[in-house]
Amino acid sequence: MDIDVLTNLGPKNKNLLNKLNIYTLNDLLTYYPYRYNFITIKNINEALDEVVYINAIVLSDIKVNYIRKNFNILSFIASNNNINFKVTIYNRAFLKNALYLNREILLIGKYKKINNTFIASDIKFNIFNNKIEAVYHLTEGLKLANLEKYMLEAIDKNIKIDDYIPNYLLEKYHFISKDIALKYIHFPHDIKEIKQAKLRLIYEELFIYTFKLNYLAMLNKRAKGLKKDFLVEDIDDFISSLPFKLTSDQLKTINDIINDLKKENRMNRLILGDVGSGKTIVAVVAILANYLSGYQATFMAPTEILARQHYEALTNYFHNYDLKVALLTGSMRKKEKENLYEKIKKKEIDVVIGTHALLNESLNFASLGLVITDEQHRFGVNQRNILQNKDGHGQADVLYLSATPIPRTYALTIYGDLDISQIKTKPNMRKEIITKVKTEDQITEVLKAMLEELKQNHQIFVVSPLIENEEETNLKSVNLLKEKLTLAFKNLVRIEVLHGKLKQKEKDALMEDFQKGNIKILIATTVIEVGIDIPMATMMVIFNAERFGLATLHQLRGRVGRSNLQSYCYLISNTKDNERLKVMEESTDGFYISEKDFEQRGQGDLFGVKQSGDMNFKIASFQRDYKILLQTSQDAKEYLSSSKYQENKLYQEIINQINFLD
Ligand code: ADP
Ligand code: MG
C-alpha cells in the first residue's frame, strides 16, 4: 500500500519520506530506529548532574534576554515535587507564549544544585510518563514527531505484512509474529519488547539472505562450465621450475583448482589466504592450466599499481612460455586500448591483467576460460558479474582471491555461494614481524625506533584512525602529527598524508611515490589498501590502536614485512584494552587472531569482508549478529533441502528475483 493512504501526510513530508526510500507502508514500517531514548521521569531532588526528564509547572512570568543576534536566553521559575527552581534555556524565545502560568511541562536537561537552576536542552508539552522513544535517521526537514505520527497511523491500519520466517521455525523459536514485532520495534513499552522484536526481525533478514546464498550455491553447482583439458605433468614441471617450494596449503589449493577445471561444471572458488600467504602464484598456476587447455584468462585487481605488479610477476613467471600477457588500465590512451581490444578479440593475447578498465563494453574475448578477481571484496557484485560474463555464455571458470582470514564456519556462511580453499601456512622464508604494544607516554621509544629505520633508508607507515563524524578534527590531528614528525626528524625525510578525502587517483599517486621510495613516512587516516608490496617499508606505527579490531590491525601490519628485512609494528594505545592488543604481540597468524577477536569481543572484526553495498540490511549486521547468522545459515539450508520453499509464494518471488540480481 502506498504511503498516500496516510491521512496526515502532506506532499512536503511525502517527498521527505521518499528521500529515505520510503514509498509504501511496508517501507515505512521496516524503516527501523537505530537507537532508543529511555525516558524515565525523575524528581528534581534525584537529578544528579546528568540529563534527566522532569515534570514541572510554570510558576512565574517568562523572561527573555536577547543577548545578541541568534542568541537569547529564556528563563522562568518552575516547581517540581514542592521544590521551586529556576529554568533557563537557550534560543527558545519562541516558546514564550506557550509557557503560561501553571502550565504542565516536561523539562529535559541538567539540574545544577549550586545555583538551583535547571539548564534545559528541551521543553515538551506532551509526554508526562516513562517512555521509550525510538530514534531514527531523519533527513533534513523531517521531524521525529511527524515520522512517529505516520508510523503510528501505519501500524493502526493493521495491514498485512509479509512474514518470511516459515511457520515451523516461528514455532520452533517461539518468535513473536511480524505485526507485533513491528509494533514493538517502533513503540516499545520495555526493553524486553525491543529484544523480542529485534531478534525476530534480524533472524528474518538473515534467513532470507542465507536462503538466497544457498539457493545460488545450488545453481552454481549445477551451472555448466568448460571442461579443461591439460596435462597435470606440465603443471608439475612448472611448479618444480619455480625458485621456491610451494607450501602444503598452496599445493592443496592448486589441487582443488585443477579438479575444478577438469570438471564440466563451472568453477566458483574463493581462495582465502592471509596477506603474504602466496595467493598470486596459485592464480598463476590456474592461468597456466587454462592456457594449456587453449583458453584465455583475465585477472582483475583493484588498483593500477597492483595490476602492474601482477603483470610484471606474470611476465616473469611465463618467460619460458609462448604465453602473451597484456596490461589494461584506465590511464592508457584510447588508441592503445582499442589496439589491445583488437588483439584480445583475435586471441593474440592469452592473459589480460587490469583494473576496472576490464569491465569496458568494448573488451571481448575470443575464448575466455578463466576469470580471476584479486582482493575480491573491493568489487561490487555487479562488477564481478560483468567480468564473469565476458565470455558471452557465463561458462568461464571463476576464481576469487581474498585476504580475509576469518574463522572457517563463518567464512562458509558468508561465502556460502562459493567453494573455499584456505591457505593457512605461510612461506617461512620471512622474518616474523616484531610487534610491540606501547602507551602514548612511551612515544620517544617509538620515535627512536623510527629513526633507526630511516637511517637504514627504510620506509614507515603511520596510521592514525578516523574519529567518526569529526572530519575537521581528524585532518587537523593528522596534519599536526605530520608537523611533529617533520620536526622530530629534522625535515630530513619526505612525509605525506594519505586521507580519505583524497580522490582515488591522488591516493594511487601517493602510494606510487611511496613505493618508489620518494616518500619515507606515509601517514594514513584510512586503512591502507591491501595487496601492494613495498619491500623497503619495514615499520608500521598505529596510533589509537584500541579503536581497531584485531583483524584490521593484522591487515595493517601485513603492509610491512614483505621482504627479508626485519620489520616492526608498534601499536600505540592509552586504554586499559591493552590486553586485547597483546594477542598481536603473540601471533602473526591471521586466522588465529580473528578467532581470538571473535571470542574476546563476542563479535567479529570483518575487515575486508564483503562491503556493505553488497547487501543492504535494514536491521541485521554481520559483525554483531554473526551467531544468529550461523543459525539462519543452517536453518535456511534445511529449508531449501526440504523443498517446502516450493510451496511458499514469498520464496518463489525471491527466487524469481535472484536471476536478475546475480
Ligand atoms: P598474497 O597472498 O598476499 O597475495 P603474494 O602472492 O603477493 O601474497 O606473495 C607474497 C610473496 O611471497 C611474493 O613475493 C611471492 O613471490 C612469495 N611467495 C609465494 N609463495 C612462496 C613460497 N612458497 N615460498 C617462498 N616465497 C613465496
Ligand atoms: Mg595478493
Side-chain angles (χ1 to χ4, degrees):
M1 228 186 282
D2 202 273
I3 41 173
D4 279 334
V5 301
L6 297 172
T7 45
N8 290 315
L9 183 65
K12 182 177 147 263
N13 276 338
K14 184 186 167 183
N15 263 332
L16 293 173
L17 288 184
N18 288 167
K19 261 195 181 169
L20 296 172
N21 273 325
I22 300 173
Y23 296 91
T24 65
L25 291 188
N26 191 48
D27 295 340
L28 179 63
L29 290 171
T30 53
Y31 193 78
Y32 300 122
Y34 69 98
R35 68 177 177 85
Y36 295 89
N37 279 333
F38 293 85
I39 301 173
T40 330
I41 307 293
K42 291 207 168 160
N43 280 332
I44 193 82
N45 45 353
E46 294 172 309
L48 297 167
D49 232 18
E50 52 174 355
V51 176
V52 287
Y53 293 77
I54 285 177
N55 281 324
I57 294 176
V58 180
L59 277 194
S60 72
D61 287 341
I62 309 301
K63 247 187 14 202
V64 179
N65 280 332
Y66 293 92
I67 312 290
R68 56 173 186 269
K69 200 179 169 222
N70 294 330
F71 187 52
N72 56 68
I73 303 176
L74 180 149
S75 60
F76 58 96
I77 304 296
S79 138
N80 163 281
N81 211 24
N82 295 324
I83 298 173
N84 295 353
F85 53 94
K86 186 177 171 185
V87 179
T88 65
I89 185 164
Y90 297 136
N91 291 336
R92 300 289 167 93
F94 57 86
L95 288 180
K96 187 168 192 261
N97 290 331
L99 290 162
Y100 44 82
L101 207 61
N102 288 329
R103 178 148 201 199
E104 291 182 321
I105 52 171
L106 177 80
L107 294 171
I108 304 165
K110 284 183 181 176
Y111 176 61
K112 303 276 176 211
K113 202 163 181 172
I114 294 184
N115 43 14
N116 191 29
T117 301
F118 192 92
I119 301 168
S121 57
D122 204 1
I123 297 177
K124 297 197 181 203
F125 303 94
N126 46 0
I127 341 165
F128 298 90
N129 291 313
N130 288 352
K131 165 180 169 169
I132 301 176
E133 182 181 68
V135 187
Y136 303 83
H137 289 293
L138 298 168
T139 182
E140 203 181 320
L142 183 64
K143 288 206 187 86
L144 180 63
N146 282 331
L147 184 63
E148 257 176 24
K149 199 167 64 190
Y150 308 140
M151 239 10 133
L152 204 58
E153 196 187 336
I155 282 184
D156 280 345
K157 288 216 177 311
N158 275 322
I159 54 161
K160 195 182 151 354
I161 301 274
D162 290 331
D163 187 348
Y164 285 84
I165 305 182
N167 276 331
Y168 75 99
L169 288 170
L170 278 177
E171 281 165 26
K172 177 177 172 190
Y173 295 116
H174 306 291
F175 282 140
I176 54 174
S177 73
K178 182 125 177 200
D179 333 355
I180 295 189
L182 291 175
K183 266 182 205 151
Y184 285 0
I185 201 87
H186 296 295
F187 301 101
H189 296 99
D190 53 37
I191 295 184
K192 195 174 152 228
E193 290 186 354
I194 298 177
K195 282 191 176 158
Q196 280 183 318
K198 263 195 178 170
L199 179 64
R200 186 249 182 264
L201 294 169
I202 290 170
Y203 180 94
E204 183 180 12
E205 198 163 42
L206 292 175
F207 185 85
I208 297 170
Y209 174 77
T210 43
F211 177 86
K212 281 187 194 169
L213 211 58
N214 285 300
Y215 186 81
L216 275 178
M218 196 172 79
L219 291 188
N220 283 345
K221 292 246 157 57
R222 290 185 196 154
K224 222 176 105 49
L226 306 163
K227 196 170 164 162
K228 306 280 160 73
D229 193 13
F230 56 94
L231 292 174
V232 178
E233 291 82 61
D234 290 340
I235 304 298
D236 290 341
D237 284 349
F238 174 75
I239 291 175
S240 29
S241 76
L242 291 173
F244 44 75
K245 231 177 127 241
L246 293 183
T247 64
S248 59
D249 281 354
Q250 280 174 320
L251 288 171
K252 217 166 127 262
T253 305
I254 287 173
N255 203 34
D256 290 342
I257 293 171
I258 287 179
N259 286 336
D260 287 349
L261 294 178
K262 293 209 164 221
K263 267 194 214 140
E264 199 160 325
N265 296 353
R266 184 179 196 174
M267 169 166 81
N268 251 299
R269 185 167 293 278
L270 170 71
I271 303 180
L272 271 185
D274 212 341
V275 185
S277 61
K279 294 183 289 291
T280 316
I281 187 66
V282 172
V284 166
V285 173
I287 290 169
L288 179 65
N290 178 69
Y291 163 77
L292 294 174
S293 320
Y295 289 99
Q296 292 170 295
T298 184
F299 191 173
M300 182 163 72
T303 63
E304 205 157 326
I305 325 172
L306 205 51
R308 207 169 307 135
Q309 196 169 291
H310 286 329
Y311 172 73
E312 276 155 22
L314 261 72
T315 314
N316 216 349
Y317 281 126
F318 292 134
H319 73 271
N320 280 333
Y321 292 78
D322 187 27
L323 188 160
K324 305 228 170 28
V325 187
L327 179 67
L328 177 67
T329 64
S331 64
M332 279 165 61
R333 263 178 298 157
K334 201 168 169 226
K335 196 95 204 154
E336 282 178 291
K337 281 186 198 163
E338 281 168 357
N339 250 329
L340 191 54
Y341 295 154
E342 267 311 299
K343 286 187 176 171
I344 295 167
K345 207 169 177 180
K346 288 196 209 138
K347 216 185 169 191
E348 287 167 17
I349 301 287
D350 301 297
V351 187
V352 195
I353 299 167
T355 54
H356 297 82
L358 292 171
L359 304 175
N360 193 299
E361 275 179 10
S362 315
L363 174 64
N364 289 297
F365 292 81
S367 61
L368 181 63
L370 176 65
V371 174
I372 306 177
T373 308
D374 194 13
E375 308 298 349
Q376 153 275 143
H377 67 277
R378 292 281 309 268
F379 299 95
V381 180
N382 280 340
Q383 294 175 320
R384 297 193 305 234
N385 283 340
I386 292 172
L387 196 65
Q388 281 164 30
N389 291 317
K390 280 272 174 193
D391 68 333
H393 330 280
Q395 293 191 330
D397 286 310
V398 177
L399 194 61
Y400 298 114
L401 312 185
S402 180
T404 51
I406 50 176
R408 186 166 174 84
T409 40
Y410 200 57
L412 287 176
T413 304
I414 53 179
Y415 298 118
D417 53 337
L418 305 171
D419 292 314
I420 300 179
S421 299
Q422 274 185 321
I423 306 187
K424 284 191 159 191
T425 48
K426 272 193 215 180
N428 52 6
M429 31 72 94
R430 269 186 228 107
K431 297 195 177 80
E432 291 270 293
I433 301 167
I434 297 173
T435 302
K436 290 176 185 166
V437 180
K438 296 280 171 196
T439 56
E440 258 168 41
D441 41 9
Q442 293 170 308
I443 194 77
T444 355
E445 260 178 73
V446 181
L447 288 173
K448 270 187 197 150
M450 287 172 80
L451 186 62
E452 280 312 305
E453 294 309 300
L454 292 173
K455 272 187 193 159
Q456 297 174 64
N457 211 19
H458 296 165
Q459 291 162 281
I460 302 172
F461 283 109
V462 174
V463 175
S464 177
L466 288 182
I467 309 161
E468 231 169 306
N469 299 327
E470 290 189 22
E471 261 164 40
E472 297 223 340
T473 341
N474 282 330
L475 271 185
K476 250 189 231 153
S477 75
V478 283
N479 283 327
L480 195 69
L481 188 60
K482 181 180 168 183
E483 274 172 37
K484 280 184 183 163
L485 290 177
T486 309
L487 209 66
F489 301 117
K490 307 199 169 49
N491 245 328
L492 290 175
V493 295
R494 184 166 157 211
I495 303 175
E496 295 291 349
V497 177
L498 184 84
H499 59 84
K501 285 271 130 169
L502 293 175
K503 295 205 189 80
Q504 190 57 44
K505 270 215 168 111
E506 298 171 302
K507 287 187 202 169
D508 287 351
L510 273 180
M511 281 313 282
E512 201 169 327
D513 239 6
F514 189 59
Q515 194 188 26
K516 285 182 183 151
N518 299 335
I519 298 170
K520 291 299 175 196
I521 300 179
L522 189 67
I523 305 174
T525 63
T526 49
V527 170
I528 305 154
E529 269 312 331
V530 293
I532 335 144
D533 262 326
I534 301 181
M536 295 301 274
T538 54
M539 187 175 281
M540 168 65 64
V541 181
I542 304 174
F543 285 91
N544 295 105
E546 75 283 350
R547 292 224 184 102
F548 290 113
L550 295 184
T552 308
L553 290 173
H554 175 71
Q555 291 284 343
L556 286 170
R557 180 170 61 179
R559 302 299 96 228
V560 299
R562 293 172 81 89
S563 67
N564 44 20
L565 297 169
Q566 178 61 58
S567 288
Y568 303 87
C569 174
Y570 284 93
L571 302 176
I572 300 167
S573 146
N574 260 347
T575 58
K576 295 274 179 298
D577 196 20
N578 278 356
E579 265 326 294
R580 189 173 68 91
L581 298 179
K582 291 273 197 268
V583 175
M584 299 295 295
E585 288 185 349
E586 263 168 47
S587 173
T588 52
D589 174 352
F591 289 97
Y592 171 81
I593 290 170
S594 86
E595 293 269 4
K596 282 274 164 195
D597 202 37
F598 271 74
E599 267 171 38
Q600 289 183 350
R601 299 198 306 166
Q603 68 169 44
D605 170 21
L606 297 172
F607 177 80
V609 167
K610 291 191 191 182
Q611 302 282 292
S612 53
D614 268 18
M615 58 223 118
N616 295 310
F617 288 142
K618 287 185 166 181
I619 193 164
S621 140
F622 268 180
Q623 212 138 314
R624 188 193 57 217
D625 306 319
Y626 81 102
K627 283 184 181 149
I628 303 175
L629 179 70
L630 292 180
Q631 190 59 50
T632 58
S633 173
Q634 203 179 317
D635 294 345
K637 264 187 208 143
E638 257 173 48
Y639 189 54
L640 193 62
S641 60
S642 77
S643 305
K644 282 197 197 99
Y645 72 93
Q646 287 167 353
E647 290 143 33
N648 188 330
K649 229 178 75 213
L650 296 175
Y651 282 85
Q652 291 310 308
E653 273 166 33
I654 286 181
I655 286 166
N656 290 336
Q657 281 164 13
I658 276 183
N659 301 324
F660 296 109
L661 269 177
D662 295 85

